[in-house]
Amino acid sequence: MSAFKDMVARDNLNVFLNTDEFADLRTIVYDGVEYKDIPVVINGNVEKDRSQGTSDHMQGLYLVSKILHCAKEHLGGNQPEKGSRIWVSDEDGYLNDYYVAQSDSESGMLRIELEAVSE
């Protein structure tokens, strides 16, 4: 790695994922493995109308989107696959079920777009 990439990787862990600065400790369950108390940053809690097909008669449901950032090493080096299920704890420790809409990895960091259907 270059010196610049090394600095970015250190800053990601020491600043962005610092629980005194931006991150919160959460539990993530992915692919049957529980990753307890890892530092994550979650942005957004956007609710939007979901598109309904002609045979879909469920009304009052919304699509909830969030973006989760964490170090790839904190998920055992795994990058969640698009379409897979992932559970992420909330502030109270309750595990919420999401689908991975998008997953990217750069400089040792994961950016995971999460989606769930909510009432």
Side-chain angles (χ1 to χ4, degrees), residues 106-117:
E106 189 171 330
S107 298
M109 289 290 293
L110 293 172
R111 179 187 180 276
I112 306 168
E113 292 182 32
L114 305 173
E115 289 184 346
V117 176

Side-chain angles (χ1 to χ4, degrees), residues 7-18 106-109:
M7 288 185 336
V8 169
R10 277 194 308 273
D11 283 350
N12 283 336
L13 292 173
N14 297 328
V15 178
F16 188 62
L17 293 179
N18 183 335
E106 189 171 330
S107 298
M109 289 290 293

Side-chain angles (χ1 to χ4, degrees), residues 88-102:
V88 181
S89 67
D90 59 18
E91 299 86 11
D92 299 322
Y94 180 76
L95 286 173
N96 295 294
D97 186 8
Y98 297 97
Y99 284 96
V100 176
Q102 179 86 23

Side-chain angles (χ1 to χ4, degrees), residues 64-76:
V64 176
S65 298
K66 296 181 180 191
I67 307 224
L68 181 141
H69 300 271
C70 71
K72 190 172 183 178
E73 70 183 66
H74 292 158
L75 283 184

